[in-house]
Amino acid sequence: DVKVTQSSRYLVKRTGEKVFLECVQDMDHENMFWYRQDPGLGLRLIYFSYDVKMKEKGDIPEGYSVSREKKERFSLILESASTNQTSMYLCASSLTAGPPLEIDTQYFGPGTRLTVL
Amino acid sequence: AQTVTQSQPEMSVQEAETVTLSCTYDTSESDYYLFWYKQPPSRQMILVIRQEAYKQQNATENRFSVNFQKAAKSFSLKISDSQLGDAAMYFCAYRTLSVGTPLVFGKGTRLSVIA
């Protein structure tokens, strides 16, 4: 089974702090994604990466950056956390090449609920 | 840009009954993928069912089936014989055929199952 893990389930930070959210997958997936989930807004894409050291902006990249130094790890960075970044953050991964049913499926981590005070 | 619309923020169903969740989408592409994802209260998002737009046949997965109307750009999810464990947020999602592209999600429908 594919496993996507996120470093924390709950995180509380102060305004202005630098925040790192870590995501690790164990199935050698090429693609990794960071989404933000807010009530009434669904999931919105922040950044994604289709290879090591590659990154693409999603719909709401402002205030965030990412790092993908190793294939299995994709980090989301809040350079200076603000209260409007209080949210649930979901990481996902998917294959680029493989069985058709696998390459079409994104696997999600359990999420990190971040509160910025 | 592609958009996905789920017009029912909340729905409820009696245990053992059938419920249909609605989803419409907008795209100029002719081929694409559509998905329904389930997010139980534990928060782990899991895939329920997927549909390839180039396939005429509606996808089914045990008690879950879809009604895919390509011309109407409609993709509804039917849950038969509803169970308490079906209570969750359900998200409809779209993806282009290009491998590795992100999903575009609707805002979700919260389904409650009444015993």
Side-chain angles (χ1 to χ4, degrees), chain B residues 6-82:
Chain B
Q6 294 178 248
S7 58
Q8 307 150 317
E10 296 184 355
M11 290 195 71
S12 62
V13 61
Q14 293 280 348
E15 201 174 2
E17 296 295 311
T18 295
V19 64
T20 299
L21 309 184
S22 301
C23 173
T24 58
Y25 57 94
D26 187 26
T27 182
S28 58
E29 312 248 342
S30 58
D31 285 324
Y32 42 87
Y33 296 110
L34 295 165
F35 305 83
W36 278 98
Y37 275 85
K38 171 184 177 182
Q39 187 181 42
S42 67
R43 296 288 184 177
Q44 192 93 33
M45 188 92 72
I46 56 173
L47 178 68
V48 175
I49 200 165
R50 44 168 273 161
Q51 173 82 41
E52 291 86 357
Y54 53 85
K55 289 186 178 178
Q56 299 288 345
Q57 189 172 5
N58 287 327
T60 62
E61 196 70 46
N62 300 317
R63 297 182 296 107
F64 298 87
S65 62
V66 298
N67 183 6
F68 173 49
Q69 301 289 329
K70 190 173 183 180
K73 295 182 181 175
S74 170
F75 183 61
S76 60
L77 175 70
K78 186 171 83 171
I79 307 173
S80 304
D81 187 24
S82 297

Side-chain angles (χ1 to χ4, degrees), chain A residues 36-50:
Chain A
R36 172 177 169 160
Q37 181 178 10
D38 299 288
L41 297 179
L43 279 77
R44 294 177 291 168
L45 180 69
I46 305 172
Y47 269 96
F48 68 102
S49 168
Y50 52 86

Side-chain angles (χ1 to χ4, degrees), chain A:
Chain A
D1 278 353
V2 176
K3 193 166 184 181
V4 181
T5 58
Q6 295 183 229
S7 49
S8 305
R9 291 299 302 271
Y10 300 93
L11 205 55
V12 179
K13 295 292 181 181
R14 299 238 174 241
T15 302
E17 280 193 78
K18 189 168 186 176
V19 181
F20 293 86
L21 304 183
E22 303 285 338
C23 176
V24 178
Q25 49 89 7
D26 67 355
M27 284 301 291
D28 206 32
H29 284 181
E30 293 87 357
N31 310 303
M32 297 189 75
F33 309 85
W34 275 107
Y35 296 92
R36 172 177 169 160
Q37 181 178 10
D38 299 288
L41 297 179
L43 279 77
R44 294 177 291 168
L45 180 69
I46 305 172
Y47 269 96
F48 68 102
S49 168
Y50 52 86
D51 201 354
V52 176
K53 296 191 185 293
M54 305 301 290
K55 61 184 179 184
E56 295 284 343
K57 291 181 180 179
D59 300 318
I60 51 165
E62 296 79 17
Y64 303 94
S65 62
V66 290
S67 172
R68 184 127 183 243
E69 296 297 320
K70 293 185 178 181
K71 191 175 185 179
E72 67 271 18
R73 187 180 298 269
F74 192 36
S75 302
L76 180 69
I77 303 156
L78 288 67
E79 295 289 342
S80 178
S82 63
T83 54
N84 62 14
Q85 292 178 311
T86 291
S87 186
M88 171 69 81
Y89 291 88
L90 294 175
C91 176
S93 70
S94 70
L95 273 175
T96 293
L101 288 179
E102 284 299 311
I103 63 175
D104 293 334
T105 300
Q106 287 192 16
Y107 294 88
F108 285 81
T112 295
R113 180 165 293 285
L114 172 67
T115 301
V116 182
L117 301 175

Side-chain angles (χ1 to χ4, degrees), chain B residues 88-103:
Chain B
M89 282 291 289
Y90 287 83
F91 291 96
C92 180
Y94 164 100
R95 212 201 81 198
T96 69
L97 287 188
S98 300
V99 177
T101 54
L103 296 168

